């Protein structure tokens, strides 16, 4: 699924919807950390965009450890950016499983999709189901909002065998040959 096409900005429509909801200026509490500059910068952009449509935004900046503690307290925030690397089993991703670790997801339809995904006969079928069904549902139901993509560039010698690109360093099954 092309996540970049899943959410379109429409500032005028957002302003109209806020007016229809009689938004009273109650602050939207965002949190972030400077420990990961890409998350911090994304938060600043999000904050500005929300303010541009008329929302009152309070930004709390924490060290990484404090932010991880705050994530489990749903009274501590309304929004925060987070980066989730792809996993072989996407149902282990915090935002789509029942958890107080990130987002407090509690959605019967999503649970049914996860159960169906995990019942697929192969990893490839499960990955396909995730991309075609689970992820679009998460975006449509506002479980998450896709902000962008990151690319990691690896340089690997011809002498390295078994290396597979992954977020972070994954070196099991890798060997150097002569």
């Amino acid at each position: 699924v092309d996540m970049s096409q899943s959410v379109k900005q429409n500032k005028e429509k957002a302003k109209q919807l806020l007016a229809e909801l009689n938004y009273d200026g109650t602050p939207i509490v965002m949190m972030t950390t400077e420990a990961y500059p890409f998350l911090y910068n994304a938060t600043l952009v999000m904050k500005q965009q929300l303010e541009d449509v008329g929302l009152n935004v309070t930004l709390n900046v924490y060290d990484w450890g404090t932010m991880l503690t705050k994530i489990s307290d749903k009274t501590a925030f309304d929004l925060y950016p987070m980066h989730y690397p792809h996993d072989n089993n996407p149902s282990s991703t915090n935002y789509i499983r029942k958890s107080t670790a990130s987002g407090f997801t509690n959605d019967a339809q999503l649970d049914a999709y996860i159960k169906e995904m995990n019942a697929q006969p192969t990893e490839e079928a499960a990955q396909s189901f995730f991309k075609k069904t689970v992820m679009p549902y998460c975006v449509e139901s506002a479980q998450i909002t896709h902000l962008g993509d990151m690319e990691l560039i690896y340089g690997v010698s011809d002498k390295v065998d078994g290396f597979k690109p992954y977020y972070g360093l994954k070196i099991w099954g890798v060997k150097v040959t002569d």
Side-chain angles (χ1 to χ4, degrees), residues 5-145:
Q5 301 301 313
S6 59
V7 177
K8 302 264 189 239
Q9 285 190 1
N10 185 334
K11 288 184 181 182
E12 294 311 312
K13 179 71 172 179
K15 290 176 185 179
Q16 175 191 339
L17 291 172
L18 279 177
E20 290 173 13
L21 292 171
N22 295 316
Y23 172 64
D24 65 0
T26 301
I28 306 298
V29 178
M30 294 181 70
M31 67 177 179
T32 193
T33 180
E34 291 180 295
Y36 293 95
F38 68 95
L39 291 178
Y40 179 73
N41 291 336
T43 307
L44 296 180
V45 170
M46 288 169 48
K47 179 180 185 293
Q48 184 62 57
Q49 290 177 339
L50 293 171
E51 290 172 340
D52 287 349
V53 298
L55 290 166
N56 179 11
V57 180
T58 299
L59 178 60
N60 297 322
V61 181
Y62 301 108
D63 63 85
W64 182 241
T66 301
M67 185 168 151
L68 291 178
T69 300
K70 298 282 186 187
I71 287 171
S72 63
D73 176 6
K74 63 179 151 184
T75 66
F77 67 95
D78 296 305
L79 302 168
Y80 71 96
M82 184 56 72
H83 173 254
Y84 293 104
H86 297 285
D87 195 335
N88 285 341
N89 182 354
S91 66
S92 67
T93 303
N94 285 341
Y95 65 83
I96 64 171
R97 61 187 168 98
K98 286 184 180 178
S99 168
T100 58
S102 184
F104 306 93
T105 303
N106 186 8
D107 182 316
Q109 180 62 62
L110 182 57
D111 292 344
Y113 283 152
I114 296 303
K115 187 175 181 178
E116 188 174 347
M117 180 186 74
N118 287 337
Q120 297 297 310
T122 65
E123 182 179 328
E124 291 76 21
Q127 288 286 346
S128 177
F129 187 84
F130 177 77
K131 289 177 185 174
K132 292 178 182 173
T133 304
V134 178
M135 198 66 198
Y137 177 79
C138 287
V139 172
E140 182 180 314
S141 63
Q143 302 286 342
I144 63 164
T145 299

